[in-house]
Amino acid sequence: MRTQTAIEWNRRIERASQLTGSSHTANQVLEFYSRVLEVQAAISQDLLTKGDVIQPDKTLREQIDFDSALAHLPTLVEVSRKYGTAILSDVAEQVSAEGSGTVRQAITDELRGVSSTPTGNAICFFARALLQPAAEYLAQQLPSVPHSGGRCPNCESLPLLAVLRPEGDGAKRSLQCSLCLTEWTYRRVLCPFCGETDRDKLPRYSADECLFIRVEACETCRRYLKSVDLSIDGRAVPLVDEVALAALDVWAAEQGLSKIVPNLLGF
Amino acid sequence: MEVSRRSFLQTGILGGVGLSVLGFDLQPLYAQSTAFKISRTTETRSTCPYCSVSCGVIIHTIGDRAKNVTPQVVHVEGDPDHPINRGTLCPKGSSLQQDIVNDRRLLKPQVRRPGSDKWEDISWDQAIDEIATWTKKTRDANFVEKDANGATVNRLESVAFAGGCTDTNEFNFLVVKTMRSLGVTCLENQARV
């Protein structure tokens, strides 16, 4: 598990750096994201060294070691101050001055599912950035179980994105959790948010310029998520490529669609 | 960059004019999104028509649902969620899209007359009349009721039927019923890969 997790974080960092050079439009976003990924990789590494084992009698959310994650808050604050936007930089200054209390509260709210700003603000960004690797570390210890719901089988969070992987002569869909980054398989023609199954109400929007990423929308709940089709581009790293095509989120917003869960960078 | 009130209220992306919630510049992203040529596709779960295995397929149809646009099939893939084939397809199934959308597809009946080297278009009525006439004439002249040993066979040896590899399961069912009722024994429907 140790090697696999480290490889996965390295892949994410490498992909973000690679896309930063090639994407002119999302450069600002990707440049910052690659620095954030480095902090997240360090959190993951620390937890792997510590080696806490998940307890079967508690939920994943109850066991997240956010004290270890919070130890990396100063680095995240520094990264945000140096490479983030003006808003992130201001909030980083504020966090730096006030200590970790605000972020700790945001983490607690996020874990309790009572976050007042589900669409993401700057404090929420700090909380989620720290939580993701800590939650992923625990989730990776859990066995994969058959699951058909629209929420994560490990932590019951909503999905961040969909991944399509080659299966036979088609592509099987998985959803990736917005908190613990677990992937679980999910039926193709079905809305993960409201359960709509009418194909006419589940349009898929794709741009000729980037066919491997689609906007999978639902006209019943007006929600969407983006899917990354690895049967079209096997080099893509879903978590990163989803962020790189933030332009599709801007397009979806113009169509009046809301994302099920915005990604870490707020898109 | 125009930020409509509607999109401001409905999404969490926009944090102010030209900036996202976390302060990222939306201008280049907006410019890229307007340059995109975006198509709307629908995914329909269906069943491969060819053989009785009944593999699941997903048919991708493009079209913006505007009244003057005819939806067009752009891709057919194996249905990964289908318990029978789990996404796999045989060569016939995986080329379904070319069967549905194909400019070489015949749209009307054609006949090649005895001695001719050309196919000519005929109407459906004429085709049905000619087939009926020739079938009856040939059957009346050649029907074999009993074989040399006196056993009842009721067969028609001078008529044969040849099907094509894209004939569907239902079509082949009707062919067999029709041909057997005429007594045809030379029957080939190519119901295989």
Side-chain angles (χ1 to χ4, degrees), chain A residues 25 85 169 188 204 219 258, chain B residues 10 22 32 41 77 87 89:
Chain A
T25 52
T85 62
D169 298 281
R188 282 281 295 272
R204 276 67 177 108
E219 288 177 351
S258 315
Chain B
Q10 289 187 341
L22 297 187
Q32 188 185 15
T41 325
E77 63 174 312
L89 288 175

Side-chain angles (χ1 to χ4, degrees), chain B residues 144-153 155:
Chain B
V144 181
E145 207 174 317
K146 290 182 190 298
D147 67 7
N149 301 321
T152 303
V153 288
R155 69 188 175 213

Side-chain angles (χ1 to χ4, degrees), chain A residues 9 36 39-40 43 69 76 124-134 264:
Chain A
W9 281 106
V36 175
V39 179
Q40 291 187 306
I43 297 173
L76 189 61
C124 195
F125 156 76
F126 284 100
R128 287 179 72 192
L130 297 174
L131 274 175
Q132 276 182 347
L264 191 58

